[in-house]
Amino acid sequence: MTEPDTLLDLQIRQIRLEATGIHSFELCAPDHERLPAFTAGAHIDLHLPGGLVRQYSLCNDPVETHRYVIGVLRDVNGRGGSRQVHETLKVGDLVKVSRPRNQFELQPAQTSALLIAGGIGITPLKSMAHSLLQAGTPFELHYCARSSEVAAFTEELVDLNRRAPGSARWHFDQGVVGAGLDLATLLAVQPAGTHLYFCGPPGFMKACAQAAEHWQPGTVHSEHFQAPTRAEPLAPTTGASVRLSASAREFVLPDGGNLLELLDQHGIHVPTSCMSGLCGTCKTGYADGEVEHNDFILDDDEKQRCLTLCVSRVTSRSITLHL
Ligand code: FES
């Protein structure tokens, strides 16, 4: 694990209607203390009364140390987390949140950035836009939505455009397939050194990934806020010997076993959140083994040294975990 797992007790200072079905929640320390710093693209786990835990991207400017702001779309077809957030949380309530984690960092080596948001996927990209503006890095933020009524943060994005003319652009399709942003044309020609970042619902993610297939490796970055449907269920694990480098303990992972369960059985309780390879809470270093990763967050470089315990499969006879 790469982050402290202590939770923060924060107070909801403000709830704003940002668009039809979208509220923003401003979370601050009750004693007005500074909050742990975050970088653009980071998210927090919001622990809801009753035990639900949901991940939400921070959408405010990372230079702000007094607040975290999240944007939540009320999803009537979702698993219930966003409905609970909308229907039960009130200004003044105390909520528990994790420290920010970032699996969707801006890259330092880019000369310009292209940000493409689908719906509520605007949240991490808005934070990135604030950081890019601060850094003086040229960028375009393309916001795809059904209509202006469901497009959030309009005032802030208009202000962004005032400070960096042409940086924020809206594309409304009114629900008509093919009537919105022409991704292929946009991604066909971009200045050398540009990095692409996108976030949105599954169909949008697929369309962006396909349109960016010809981009250079390492220049395309994305974050799913919902695990894509897997073409096939994850295959069961085969047995392996699991060593722990910090404690020099060793366990046998049985055929069909699960790394998290194995550790739990031996009293090693690793924090988890999404359980689907999306959030990075269970990210752990490893060595001396081979892994089928199955996550949606690690890049090729990270996969050489890290795995996510919730969905990774060990494919070698043994592995060492940095625990
Ligand atoms: S619990 Fe989220 S990646 Fe494993």
Side-chain angles (χ1 to χ4, degrees):
M1 289 155 293
T2 55
E3 302 279 346
D5 53 5
T6 51
L7 296 179
L8 308 169
D9 287 300
L10 301 186
Q11 186 171 42
I12 300 174
R13 206 51 75 71
Q14 185 177 194
I15 300 175
R16 268 176 61 104
L17 175 67
E18 299 288 356
T20 302
I22 301 177
H23 289 172
S24 68
F25 296 77
E26 180 184 277
L27 310 173
C28 302
D31 55 5
H32 303 280
E33 282 285 296
R34 289 162 65 124
L35 299 176
F38 70 98
T39 49
H43 70 269
I44 53 170
D45 295 342
L46 178 62
H47 291 246
L48 293 165
L52 284 184
V53 181
R54 292 290 184 267
Q55 290 79 44
Y56 293 105
S57 296
L58 299 178
C59 59
N60 55 315
D61 189 334
V63 299
E64 296 177 343
T65 56
H66 67 292
R67 65 177 189 157
Y68 298 148
V69 182
I70 58 174
V72 182
L73 168 69
R74 186 177 187 277
D75 183 357
V76 288
N77 298 313
R79 296 171 297 153
S82 67
R83 284 202 303 277
Q84 186 175 346
V85 169
H86 272 250
E87 292 168 11
T88 66
L89 296 186
K90 306 182 300 301
V91 171
D93 285 356
L94 289 174
V95 289
K96 289 194 179 296
V97 307
S98 69
R99 288 163 184 267
R101 282 190 299 275
N102 201 338
Q103 301 294 336
F104 191 34
E105 292 269 11
L106 284 169
Q107 302 300 302
Q110 64 203 346
T111 52
S112 61
L114 184 60
L115 316 176
I116 309 180
I120 195 61
I122 185 65
T123 50
L125 299 179
K126 184 170 99 59
S127 186
M128 287 181 174
H130 289 303
S131 283
L132 290 162
L133 188 66
Q134 291 272 348
T137 304
F139 69 95
E140 287 178 10
L141 168 60
H142 293 262
Y143 186 178
C144 305
R146 175 180 285 259
S147 65
S148 59
E149 288 75 30
V150 295
F153 308 117
T154 302
E155 288 163 30
E156 287 182 84
L157 297 180
V158 166
D159 184 57
L160 208 66
N161 254 347
R162 190 183 52 73
R163 298 166 67 196
S167 58
R169 303 170 189 203
W170 289 261
H171 306 272
F172 303 128
D173 64 9
Q174 309 299 332
V176 177
V177 177
L181 174 62
D182 181 347
L183 283 168
T185 300
L186 178 67
L187 299 189
V189 184
Q190 286 290 327
T194 300
H195 280 235
L196 168 66
Y197 303 83
F198 56 91
C199 180
F204 169 87
M205 298 296 281
K206 198 169 166 191
C208 287
Q210 281 172 349
E213 272 171 355
H214 62 287
W215 280 50
Q216 292 292 319
T219 61
V220 177
H221 317 277
S222 62
E223 182 168 74
H224 295 261
F225 52 73
Q226 179 181 333
T229 308
R230 295 184 192 274
E232 293 177 9
L234 295 182
T237 50
T238 48
S241 166
V242 179
R243 285 186 297 272
L244 306 188
S245 59
S247 58
R249 297 171 76 189
E250 185 161 346
F251 310 122
V252 175
L253 179 68
D255 284 349
N258 171 284
L259 282 169
L260 275 174
E261 284 171 15
L262 176 77
L263 294 168
D264 206 51
Q265 281 160 10
H266 291 89
I268 301 157
H269 306 298
V270 177
T272 58
S273 183
C274 71
M275 294 299 285
S276 54
L278 277 179
C279 72
T281 308
C282 67
K283 187 167 94 174
T284 299
Y286 77 94
D288 306 329
E290 287 167 23
V291 175
E292 179 187 297
H293 285 273
N294 299 317
D295 65 82
F296 302 101
I297 48 173
L298 302 180
D299 61 28
D300 289 344
D301 184 42
E302 282 185 298
K303 284 178 179 169
Q304 303 305 312
R305 51 198 157 75
C306 296
L307 54 75
T308 52
L309 291 166
C310 61
V311 291
S312 293
R313 290 177 63 230
V314 181
T315 55
S316 50
R317 300 292 298 273
S318 65
I319 194 165
T320 301
L321 300 179
H322 297 324
L323 286 172

